[in-house]
C-alpha cells in the first residue's frame, strides 16, 4: 500500500555537500518559493538490485510547480552524499533556502512556472537522526526484530536510489522527465537514470560528476569510511542500543577527510598557516593550526546530526555506481537524452580528468552534449555554492 502524508518541516537539518562544511552552503533570506511542504512516500516489498528483500521503503520528498496533463514536464533533482531532498524552497519560516534554490523557482533557470520539480531523500540517508528526513537504511527499524537494522541492512546501490525514485514518480503520475539533474552523488544518480530509463529521460545535467568510480576513487571512498570502522564505539555497526555511544569520533574524522577533499586550495588559503586561537604548534605537538581546528569543530557538529552506518552504506552505494554495465560506454549507449555537463575547474574529488572522460564517452555514444566549467575557490563545492554562475547555460539547455 502506498501512503503519503505531510511532514512538519520545522527543524529540518541543513544538509552539507559531502562534508561537515565550514561556511553555510545556502544563501540566507527568503526563498521565492516560500514554504515547501515535505511529504512521505512509502511502499511495500522492495527487492534490492543485489537480490535482498526489504519489507517496506519510506522516503521523504517535496515538489514545486504543477504536473501537466501529459505528465511530461517533470524535473527530478537528485542530491549529494550528505544531502536530502530539500533542494528548493524553505522547510520552515526561518530556515535557509534549499541548496539549489538559486536556480529552482518561478522565473529561475529551472522554472517552477513551467516544470513540476521533485526532490526526495535517498535510501541510507546520512541525515537519518534528523526527525524530518525520511529514509530507509541501517538506522531504520527492522520489523522482524524490532531493532535498528545496523549491518543487517542489505547493500544498496545508486541504481537502488533510482528505483525508489521511479516508484515515487510513478505514484505522482510522472510519465517523462524533461530533466534529471544533481550535484556529486546526485550526478551519479542522474547518469544512472539515463541508462536505466532511456525512453523516460529527455535531458541529463550531471553537476560536479564523473562517469566512473574507478579503483582510485573507490580507494578514496574506502579511506573516508576507515575512521568509522576503527572507532571502538562502532561495535561492528551495533551501537544503537540504549546506553551505547555512537561512533562520533570516527564519524568526525571521516567528515574531516571528506570536507578537505571536497575543497580547493583557494578556499583553504583563508586560514593561511596561522595557529588556532590560543595555541602554538611550534612549541606543543598537541596544539593545532587554524584550518585543523576549524575542520574539527565543523565536523564534530555535523557528526552529531548524522548516522555513521549510513555513511558506510553511502560509500558502498557510490562504489557500486554503474556496476550493472560492462563499461561506461555500454551504459551511455543506452541513453537517448541531451546532456549538459557542469564540472568544477578546481575539483579535487571528481577531477578535470574524470569530467573530460565523461564528455568524451558521451561524444563516442553520439549524444548531444555541451559543457560549461564552474570556476571559483570552493573546489568540488562549486556545484552547490556556485551553481548560479551556470544559470544562462541551464536556461539555454531547457529552452
Amino acid at each position: 500500500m502506498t501512503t503519503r502524508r505531510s511532514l512538519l518541516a520545522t527543524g529540518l537539518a541543513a544538509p552539507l555537500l559531502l562534508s561537515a562544511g565550514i561556511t553555510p552552503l545556502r544563501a540566507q533570506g527568503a526563498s521565492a518559493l516560500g514554504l515547501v511542504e515535505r511529504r512521505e512516500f512509502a511502499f511495500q516489498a522492495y527487492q534490492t538490485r543485489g537480490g535482498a528483500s526489504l519489507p517496506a521503503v519510506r522516503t521523504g520528498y517535496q515538489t514545486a510547480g504543477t504536473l501537466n496533463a501529459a505528465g511530461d514536464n517533470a524535473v527530478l533533482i537528485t542530491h549529494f552524499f550528505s544531502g536530502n531532498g530539500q533542494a528548493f524552497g524553505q522547510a520552515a519560516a526561518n530556515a535557509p533556502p534549499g541548496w539549489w534554490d538559486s536556480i529552482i523557482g518561478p522565473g529561475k533557470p529551472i522554472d517552477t512556472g513551467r516544470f513540476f520539480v521533485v526532490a526526495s531523500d535517498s535510501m541510507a540517508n546520512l541525515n537519518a537522526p534528523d526527525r524530518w528526513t525520511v529514509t530507509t537504511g541501517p538506522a531504520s527499524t527492522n520489523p522482524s526484530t524490532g531493532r535498528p537494522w545496523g549491518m543487517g541492512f542489505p547493500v544498496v546501490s545508486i541504481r537502488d536510489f533510482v528505483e525508489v525514485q521511479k516508484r515515487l514518480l510513478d505514484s505522482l503520475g510522472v510519465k517523462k522527465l524533461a530533466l534529471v539533474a544533481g550535484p556529486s552523488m546526485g550526478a551519479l544518480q542522474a547518469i544512472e537514470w539515463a541508462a536505466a530509463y532511456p525512453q523516460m529521460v529527455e535531458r541529463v545535467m550531471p553537476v560536479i560528476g564523473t562517469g566512473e568510480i574507478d579503483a582510485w576513487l573507490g580507494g578514496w571512498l574506502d579511506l573516508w569510511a576507515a575512521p568509522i570502522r576503527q572507532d571502538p564505539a562502532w561495535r561492528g555497526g551495533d551501537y544503537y542500543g540504549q546506553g551505547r555511544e555512537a561512533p562520533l569520533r570516527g564519524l568526525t574524522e571521516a567528515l574531516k577527510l571528506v570536507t578537505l577533499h571536497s575543497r580547493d586550495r583557494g578556499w583553504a588559503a583563508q586560514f593561511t598557516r596561522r595557529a588556532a586561537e590560543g595555541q602554538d604548534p611550534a612549541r606543543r605537538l598537541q596544539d593545532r593550526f587554524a584550518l585543523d581546528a576549524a575542520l574539527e569543530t565543523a565536523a564534530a557538529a555535523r557528526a552529531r546530526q548524522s548516522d555513521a552506518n549510513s555513511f558506510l552504506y553511502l560509500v558502498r552505494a557510490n562504489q557500486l555506481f554503474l556496476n550493472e554495465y560492462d563499461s561506461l560506454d555500454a551504459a551511455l549507449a543506452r541513453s537517448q537524452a541531451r546532456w549538459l555537463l557542469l564540472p568544477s575547474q578546481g575539483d579535487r574529488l571528481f577531477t578535470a580528468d574524470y569530467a573530460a572522460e565523461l564528455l568524451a564517452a558521451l561524444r563516442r555514444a553520439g549524444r548531444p552534449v555541451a559543457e560549461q566549467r564552474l570556476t571559483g575557490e570552493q573546489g568540488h563545492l562549486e556545484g552547490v555554492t556556485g551553481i548560479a554562475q551556470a544559470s544562462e547555460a541551464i536556461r539555454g539547455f531547457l529552452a
Side-chain angles (χ1 to χ4, degrees):
M1 173 185 258
T2 298
T3 62
R4 270 177 259 150
R5 63 178 176 82
S6 299
L7 295 177
L8 182 63
T10 305
L12 180 68
L16 299 169
L17 178 68
L18 283 173
S19 66
I22 300 295
T23 55
L25 288 182
R26 297 180 289 184
Q28 300 300 311
S31 166
L33 284 166
L35 297 181
V36 174
E37 185 181 36
R38 297 279 294 168
R39 301 186 179 97
E40 177 182 324
F41 169 71
F43 62 91
Q44 307 297 311
Y46 176 69
Q47 183 173 342
T48 70
R49 302 299 291 186
S53 296
L54 285 170
V57 173
R58 301 166 62 237
T59 185
Y61 74 100
Q62 61 184 57
T63 69
T66 303
L67 186 66
N68 63 19
D72 63 1
N73 69 327
V75 169
L76 178 65
I77 304 298
T78 50
H79 69 69
F80 44 83
F81 187 97
S82 63
N84 64 11
Q86 209 242 308
F88 47 85
Q90 291 172 270
N94 297 320
W99 43 268
W100 259 9
D101 192 78
S102 63
I103 59 167
I104 300 171
K108 294 182 180 181
I110 300 176
D111 188 351
T112 52
R114 176 184 172 197
F115 296 109
F116 175 64
V117 187
V118 182
S120 64
D121 305 333
S122 70
M123 300 176 76
N125 196 282
L126 187 64
N127 302 284
D130 165 27
R131 63 183 296 197
W132 308 120
T133 296
V134 179
T135 183
T136 297
S140 304
T141 299
N142 179 348
S144 67
T145 66
R147 300 182 66 248
W149 283 91
M151 291 294 99
F153 192 74
V155 170
V156 290
S157 65
I158 297 293
R159 178 62 181 272
D160 282 304
F161 299 172
V162 168
E163 293 304 317
V164 173
Q165 292 159 359
K166 175 65 164 59
R167 294 204 186 193
L168 167 62
L169 294 176
D170 288 346
S171 78
L172 295 172
V174 172
K175 304 299 182 186
K176 183 164 286 191
L177 289 167
L179 172 69
V180 184
S184 195
M185 188 181 82
L188 306 188
Q189 293 170 75
I191 295 167
E192 286 268 15
W193 259 100
Y197 294 101
Q199 295 180 334
M200 189 175 175
V201 178
E202 293 185 341
R203 300 176 186 85
V204 187
M205 190 175 80
V207 179
I208 51 172
T210 177
E212 183 180 15
I213 300 293
D214 61 7
W216 190 81
L217 277 174
W220 269 111
L221 286 162
D222 189 66
L223 287 177
W224 291 0
I228 295 171
R229 296 193 299 260
Q230 294 170 1
D231 187 334
W234 181 55
R235 299 171 57 96
D238 185 19
Y239 56 82
Y240 298 112
Q242 186 174 2
R244 292 183 180 175
E245 178 186 356
L248 294 180
R249 180 69 262 158
L251 183 54
T252 296
E253 293 300 319
L255 289 167
K256 284 166 62 178
L257 275 171
V258 182
T259 301
L260 192 58
H261 199 178
S262 64
R263 300 284 187 160
D264 196 9
R265 292 176 63 195
W267 166 81
Q270 64 185 296
F271 297 97
T272 64
R273 293 180 62 192
R274 71 181 184 275
E277 186 176 355
Q279 300 192 33
D280 187 354
R283 297 182 61 191
R284 291 178 295 273
L285 193 62
Q286 66 269 31
D287 283 5
R288 314 294 293 279
F289 290 94
L291 172 60
D292 305 326
L295 286 171
E296 174 74 25
T297 299
R302 185 68 175 91
R304 290 191 292 271
Q305 304 172 34
S306 306
D307 176 60
N309 282 340
S310 296
F311 187 105
L312 300 179
Y313 274 83
L314 288 173
V315 161
R316 181 53 53 86
N318 279 260
Q319 291 172 323
L320 293 173
F321 171 54
L322 291 182
N323 70 304
E324 298 186 21
Y325 304 95
D326 291 336
S327 65
L328 174 61
D329 284 351
L332 296 181
R334 294 175 51 82
S335 170
Q336 300 177 20
R338 296 168 50 205
W339 293 69
L340 173 63
L341 309 185
L342 297 176
S344 170
Q345 185 66 37
D347 199 333
R348 306 279 175 165
L349 178 54
F350 295 159
T351 63
D353 288 347
Y354 286 105
E357 289 167 7
L358 176 57
L359 179 63
L362 284 165
R363 287 174 172 166
R364 287 195 301 273
R367 290 294 86 217
V369 57
E371 179 188 67
Q372 177 175 316
R373 298 225 162 185
L374 306 174
T375 60
E377 297 183 340
Q378 297 299 316
H380 189 70
L381 288 178
E382 286 297 340
V384 172
T385 61
I387 190 62
Q389 67 185 273
S391 291
E392 291 311 306
I394 297 169
R395 288 184 192 278
F397 186 52
L398 291 172

